[in-house]
mmCIF file of all heavy atoms in Angstrom:
data_model
loop_
_atom_site.group_PDB
_atom_site.id
_atom_site.type_symbol
_atom_site.label_atom_id
_atom_site.label_comp_id
_atom_site.label_asym_id
_atom_site.label_seq_id
_atom_site.Cartn_x
_atom_site.Cartn_y
_atom_site.Cartn_z
ATOM 1 N N GLY P 492 2.922 -47.056 17.411
ATOM 2 C CA GLY P 492 3.759 -47.891 16.548
ATOM 3 C C GLY P 492 4.031 -49.287 17.071
ATOM 4 O O GLY P 492 4.829 -50.021 16.489
ATOM 5 N N ASN P 493 3.360 -49.667 18.151
ATOM 6 C CA ASN P 493 3.583 -51.009 18.715
ATOM 7 C C ASN P 493 3.198 -52.111 17.724
ATOM 8 O O ASN P 493 3.919 -53.102 17.559
ATOM 9 C CB ASN P 493 2.757 -51.206 19.986
ATOM 10 C CG ASN P 493 3.208 -50.326 21.124
ATOM 11 O OD1 ASN P 493 4.206 -49.623 21.018
ATOM 12 N ND2 ASN P 493 2.465 -50.352 22.216
ATOM 13 N N GLY P 494 2.040 -51.928 17.092
ATOM 14 C CA GLY P 494 1.548 -52.931 16.153
ATOM 15 C C GLY P 494 2.487 -53.092 14.970
ATOM 16 O O GLY P 494 2.827 -54.208 14.571
ATOM 17 N N ARG P 495 2.918 -51.959 14.413
ATOM 18 C CA ARG P 495 3.831 -51.998 13.259
ATOM 19 C C ARG P 495 5.177 -52.612 13.638
ATOM 20 O O ARG P 495 5.775 -53.344 12.849
ATOM 21 C CB ARG P 495 4.029 -50.578 12.698
ATOM 22 C CG ARG P 495 2.902 -50.152 11.776
ATOM 23 C CD ARG P 495 2.896 -48.669 11.551
ATOM 24 N NE ARG P 495 2.313 -47.962 12.691
ATOM 25 C CZ ARG P 495 2.340 -46.648 12.847
ATOM 26 N NH1 ARG P 495 2.958 -45.891 11.969
ATOM 27 N NH2 ARG P 495 1.774 -46.089 13.900
ATOM 28 N N TRP P 496 5.633 -52.311 14.839
ATOM 29 C CA TRP P 496 6.901 -52.863 15.316
ATOM 30 C C TRP P 496 6.817 -54.402 15.328
ATOM 31 O O TRP P 496 7.744 -55.083 14.886
ATOM 32 C CB TRP P 496 7.191 -52.342 16.718
ATOM 33 C CG TRP P 496 8.537 -52.696 17.273
ATOM 34 C CD1 TRP P 496 9.684 -51.944 17.181
ATOM 35 C CD2 TRP P 496 8.880 -53.880 18.010
ATOM 36 N NE1 TRP P 496 10.717 -52.581 17.818
ATOM 37 C CE2 TRP P 496 10.254 -53.771 18.332
ATOM 38 C CE3 TRP P 496 8.176 -54.990 18.425
ATOM 39 C CZ2 TRP P 496 10.933 -54.751 19.058
ATOM 40 C CZ3 TRP P 496 8.853 -55.977 19.140
ATOM 41 C CH2 TRP P 496 10.204 -55.855 19.443
ATOM 42 N N ALA P 497 5.698 -54.922 15.807
ATOM 43 C CA ALA P 497 5.519 -56.382 15.866
ATOM 44 C C ALA P 497 5.395 -56.966 14.452
ATOM 45 O O ALA P 497 6.009 -57.988 14.135
ATOM 46 C CB ALA P 497 4.288 -56.722 16.689
ATOM 47 N N LYS P 498 4.623 -56.272 13.623
ATOM 48 C CA LYS P 498 4.392 -56.760 12.257
ATOM 49 C C LYS P 498 5.702 -56.870 11.486
ATOM 50 O O LYS P 498 5.928 -57.845 10.757
ATOM 51 C CB LYS P 498 3.417 -55.815 11.541
ATOM 52 C CG LYS P 498 2.776 -56.449 10.319
ATOM 53 C CD LYS P 498 1.726 -55.568 9.690
ATOM 54 C CE LYS P 498 1.329 -56.160 8.334
ATOM 55 N NZ LYS P 498 0.704 -55.161 7.462
ATOM 56 N N GLU P 499 6.572 -55.864 11.670
ATOM 57 C CA GLU P 499 7.890 -55.873 11.003
ATOM 58 C C GLU P 499 8.667 -57.133 11.354
ATOM 59 O O GLU P 499 9.559 -57.545 10.637
ATOM 60 C CB GLU P 499 8.725 -54.667 11.469
ATOM 61 C CG GLU P 499 8.450 -53.391 10.713
ATOM 62 C CD GLU P 499 9.257 -52.212 11.263
ATOM 63 O OE1 GLU P 499 10.094 -52.422 12.184
ATOM 64 O OE2 GLU P 499 9.027 -51.088 10.773
ATOM 65 N N ARG P 500 8.363 -57.697 12.513
ATOM 66 C CA ARG P 500 9.075 -58.894 12.976
ATOM 67 C C ARG P 500 8.267 -60.167 12.776
ATOM 68 O O ARG P 500 8.615 -61.218 13.306
ATOM 69 C CB ARG P 500 9.421 -58.720 14.464
ATOM 70 C CG ARG P 500 10.577 -57.765 14.649
ATOM 71 C CD ARG P 500 10.610 -57.139 16.022
ATOM 72 N NE ARG P 500 11.724 -56.189 16.077
ATOM 73 C CZ ARG P 500 11.691 -54.965 15.564
ATOM 74 N NH1 ARG P 500 10.592 -54.509 14.974
ATOM 75 N NH2 ARG P 500 12.756 -54.174 15.621
ATOM 76 N N GLY P 501 7.160 -60.040 12.026
ATOM 77 C CA GLY P 501 6.308 -61.193 11.758
ATOM 78 C C GLY P 501 5.614 -61.742 12.997
ATOM 79 O O GLY P 501 5.322 -62.933 13.088
ATOM 80 N N LYS P 502 5.376 -60.836 13.974
ATOM 81 C CA LYS P 502 4.741 -61.281 15.227
ATOM 82 C C LYS P 502 3.374 -60.647 15.430
ATOM 83 O O LYS P 502 3.006 -59.697 14.742
ATOM 84 C CB LYS P 502 5.648 -60.940 16.411
ATOM 85 C CG LYS P 502 7.012 -61.593 16.287
ATOM 86 C CD LYS P 502 7.728 -61.655 17.600
ATOM 87 C CE LYS P 502 8.942 -62.562 17.428
ATOM 88 N NZ LYS P 502 9.827 -62.608 18.540
ATOM 89 N N GLU P 503 2.629 -61.156 16.388
ATOM 90 C CA GLU P 503 1.314 -60.604 16.750
ATOM 91 C C GLU P 503 1.486 -59.203 17.330
ATOM 92 O O GLU P 503 2.496 -58.911 17.974
ATOM 93 C CB GLU P 503 0.654 -61.495 17.812
ATOM 94 C CG GLU P 503 0.369 -62.924 17.383
ATOM 95 C CD GLU P 503 -0.768 -63.011 16.380
ATOM 96 O OE1 GLU P 503 -1.706 -62.199 16.488
ATOM 97 O OE2 GLU P 503 -0.693 -63.887 15.488
ATOM 98 N N ARG P 504 0.452 -58.356 17.152
ATOM 99 C CA ARG P 504 0.502 -56.979 17.646
ATOM 100 C C ARG P 504 0.828 -56.902 19.138
ATOM 101 O O ARG P 504 1.551 -56.017 19.590
ATOM 102 C CB ARG P 504 -0.846 -56.283 17.407
ATOM 103 C CG ARG P 504 -1.214 -56.093 15.953
ATOM 104 C CD ARG P 504 -2.606 -55.482 15.827
ATOM 105 N NE ARG P 504 -2.732 -54.260 16.628
ATOM 106 C CZ ARG P 504 -2.307 -53.059 16.238
ATOM 107 N NH1 ARG P 504 -1.756 -52.920 15.059
ATOM 108 N NH2 ARG P 504 -2.460 -52.019 17.018
ATOM 109 N N VAL P 505 0.271 -57.855 19.894
ATOM 110 C CA VAL P 505 0.446 -57.838 21.346
ATOM 111 C C VAL P 505 1.929 -57.858 21.759
ATOM 112 O O VAL P 505 2.324 -57.248 22.758
ATOM 113 C CB VAL P 505 -0.332 -58.999 22.003
ATOM 114 C CG1 VAL P 505 0.027 -60.328 21.389
ATOM 115 C CG2 VAL P 505 -0.134 -59.043 23.498
ATOM 116 N N TYR P 506 2.745 -58.507 20.938
ATOM 117 C CA TYR P 506 4.176 -58.565 21.203
ATOM 118 C C TYR P 506 4.770 -57.145 21.219
ATOM 119 O O TYR P 506 5.646 -56.837 22.037
ATOM 120 C CB TYR P 506 4.844 -59.442 20.133
ATOM 121 C CG TYR P 506 6.292 -59.735 20.378
ATOM 122 C CD1 TYR P 506 6.698 -60.628 21.361
ATOM 123 C CD2 TYR P 506 7.271 -59.110 19.604
ATOM 124 C CE1 TYR P 506 8.040 -60.897 21.573
ATOM 125 C CE2 TYR P 506 8.622 -59.375 19.808
ATOM 126 C CZ TYR P 506 8.994 -60.268 20.797
ATOM 127 O OH TYR P 506 10.321 -60.519 21.004
ATOM 128 N N GLY P 507 4.248 -56.294 20.341
ATOM 129 C CA GLY P 507 4.680 -54.887 20.309
ATOM 130 C C GLY P 507 4.262 -54.148 21.570
ATOM 131 O O GLY P 507 5.012 -53.309 22.083
ATOM 132 N N HIS P 508 3.080 -54.479 22.074
ATOM 133 C CA HIS P 508 2.629 -53.828 23.317
ATOM 134 C C HIS P 508 3.518 -54.254 24.500
ATOM 135 O O HIS P 508 3.882 -53.436 25.334
ATOM 136 C CB HIS P 508 1.165 -54.171 23.614
ATOM 137 C CG HIS P 508 0.200 -53.673 22.568
ATOM 138 N ND1 HIS P 508 0.283 -52.413 22.017
ATOM 139 C CD2 HIS P 508 -0.881 -54.265 21.969
ATOM 140 C CE1 HIS P 508 -0.696 -52.245 21.139
ATOM 141 N NE2 HIS P 508 -1.412 -53.365 21.076
ATOM 142 N N PHE P 509 3.869 -55.527 24.542
ATOM 143 C CA PHE P 509 4.773 -56.011 25.609
ATOM 144 C C PHE P 509 6.091 -55.238 25.569
ATOM 145 O O PHE P 509 6.596 -54.781 26.592
ATOM 146 C CB PHE P 509 5.068 -57.511 25.439
ATOM 147 C CG PHE P 509 3.934 -58.407 25.834
ATOM 148 C CD1 PHE P 509 3.596 -59.525 25.072
ATOM 149 C CD2 PHE P 509 3.189 -58.149 26.976
ATOM 150 C CE1 PHE P 509 2.544 -60.357 25.436
ATOM 151 C CE2 PHE P 509 2.125 -58.975 27.351
ATOM 152 C CZ PHE P 509 1.812 -60.079 26.574
ATOM 153 N N GLU P 510 6.637 -55.118 24.365
ATOM 154 C CA GLU P 510 7.919 -54.440 24.204
ATOM 155 C C GLU P 510 7.770 -52.946 24.523
ATOM 156 O O GLU P 510 8.706 -52.325 25.031
ATOM 157 C CB GLU P 510 8.411 -54.665 22.767
ATOM 158 C CG GLU P 510 9.887 -54.615 22.567
ATOM 159 C CD GLU P 510 10.703 -55.518 23.480
ATOM 160 O OE1 GLU P 510 10.256 -56.661 23.760
ATOM 161 O OE2 GLU P 510 11.783 -55.076 23.896
ATOM 162 N N GLY P 511 6.593 -52.416 24.241
ATOM 163 C CA GLY P 511 6.315 -51.002 24.540
ATOM 164 C C GLY P 511 6.381 -50.704 26.031
ATOM 165 O O GLY P 511 6.768 -49.611 26.428
ATOM 166 N N VAL P 512 6.017 -51.682 26.841
ATOM 167 C CA VAL P 512 6.105 -51.503 28.300
ATOM 168 C C VAL P 512 7.561 -51.257 28.704
ATOM 169 O O VAL P 512 7.849 -50.441 29.588
ATOM 170 C CB VAL P 512 5.519 -52.723 29.050
ATOM 171 C CG1 VAL P 512 5.752 -52.597 30.557
ATOM 172 C CG2 VAL P 512 4.033 -52.881 28.759
ATOM 173 N N GLU P 513 8.482 -51.929 28.026
ATOM 174 C CA GLU P 513 9.915 -51.733 28.318
ATOM 175 C C GLU P 513 10.340 -50.298 27.987
ATOM 176 O O GLU P 513 11.198 -49.726 28.668
ATOM 177 C CB GLU P 513 10.774 -52.743 27.548
ATOM 178 C CG GLU P 513 10.509 -54.199 27.936
ATOM 179 C CD GLU P 513 10.580 -54.419 29.450
ATOM 180 O OE1 GLU P 513 11.535 -53.941 30.082
ATOM 181 O OE2 GLU P 513 9.645 -55.053 29.995
ATOM 182 N N SER P 514 9.752 -49.736 26.928
ATOM 183 C CA SER P 514 10.067 -48.347 26.587
ATOM 184 C C SER P 514 9.531 -47.388 27.650
ATOM 185 O O SER P 514 10.182 -46.396 27.974
ATOM 186 C CB SER P 514 9.486 -47.978 25.221
ATOM 187 O OG SER P 514 10.105 -48.722 24.207
ATOM 188 N N VAL P 515 8.345 -47.703 28.183
ATOM 189 C CA VAL P 515 7.802 -46.870 29.260
ATOM 190 C C VAL P 515 8.787 -46.881 30.429
ATOM 191 O O VAL P 515 9.130 -45.833 30.991
ATOM 192 C CB VAL P 515 6.415 -47.368 29.737
ATOM 193 C CG1 VAL P 515 5.958 -46.598 30.971
ATOM 194 C CG2 VAL P 515 5.388 -47.239 28.614
ATOM 195 N N ARG P 516 9.275 -48.070 30.768
ATOM 196 C CA ARG P 516 10.211 -48.180 31.881
ATOM 197 C C ARG P 516 11.487 -47.397 31.599
ATOM 198 O O ARG P 516 11.997 -46.686 32.464
ATOM 199 C CB ARG P 516 10.537 -49.648 32.158
ATOM 200 C CG ARG P 516 11.356 -49.835 33.426
ATOM 201 C CD ARG P 516 11.539 -51.287 33.799
ATOM 202 N NE ARG P 516 10.293 -51.938 34.132
ATOM 203 C CZ ARG P 516 9.797 -52.989 33.481
ATOM 204 N NH1 ARG P 516 10.451 -53.500 32.466
ATOM 205 N NH2 ARG P 516 8.666 -53.529 33.848
ATOM 206 N N ALA P 517 11.990 -47.491 30.362
ATOM 207 C CA ALA P 517 13.231 -46.793 29.999
ATOM 208 C C ALA P 517 13.049 -45.277 30.097
ATOM 209 O O ALA P 517 13.914 -44.575 30.645
ATOM 210 C CB ALA P 517 13.651 -47.188 28.577
ATOM 211 N N VAL P 518 11.920 -44.782 29.598
ATOM 212 C CA VAL P 518 11.672 -43.332 29.627
ATOM 213 C C VAL P 518 11.469 -42.864 31.072
ATOM 214 O O VAL P 518 11.960 -41.807 31.475
ATOM 215 C CB VAL P 518 10.450 -42.969 28.736
ATOM 216 C CG1 VAL P 518 9.997 -41.534 28.972
ATOM 217 C CG2 VAL P 518 10.784 -43.184 27.258
ATOM 218 N N MET P 519 10.786 -43.692 31.849
ATOM 219 C CA MET P 519 10.563 -43.368 33.254
ATOM 220 C C MET P 519 11.902 -43.267 33.998
ATOM 221 O O MET P 519 12.155 -42.304 34.724
ATOM 222 C CB MET P 519 9.692 -44.465 33.866
ATOM 223 C CG MET P 519 9.203 -44.227 35.248
ATOM 224 S SD MET P 519 8.207 -45.636 35.777
ATOM 225 C CE MET P 519 9.465 -46.700 36.477
ATOM 226 N N GLU P 520 12.760 -44.239 33.784
ATOM 227 C CA GLU P 520 14.045 -44.246 34.494
ATOM 228 C C GLU P 520 14.942 -43.094 34.063
ATOM 229 O O GLU P 520 15.595 -42.454 34.876
ATOM 230 C CB GLU P 520 14.738 -45.600 34.326
ATOM 231 C CG GLU P 520 14.139 -46.592 35.307
ATOM 232 C CD GLU P 520 14.589 -48.030 35.122
ATOM 233 O OE1 GLU P 520 15.483 -48.285 34.292
ATOM 234 O OE2 GLU P 520 14.019 -48.897 35.815
ATOM 235 N N ALA P 521 14.945 -42.798 32.753
ATOM 236 C CA ALA P 521 15.753 -41.673 32.263
ATOM 237 C C ALA P 521 15.209 -40.362 32.827
ATOM 238 O O ALA P 521 15.981 -39.461 33.180
ATOM 239 C CB ALA P 521 15.745 -41.652 30.738
#
Side-chain angles (χ1 to χ4, degrees):
N493 293 355
R495 278 164 282 171
W496 187 92
K498 198 175 169 201
E499 276 177 4
R500 285 157 183 79
K502 301 199 169 173
E503 298 289 326
R504 295 176 53 82
V505 54
Y506 187 74
H508 297 316
F509 285 138
E510 207 53 38
V512 174
E513 297 309 313
S514 295
V515 173
R516 188 173 296 120
V518 168
M519 188 180 88
E520 279 172 7

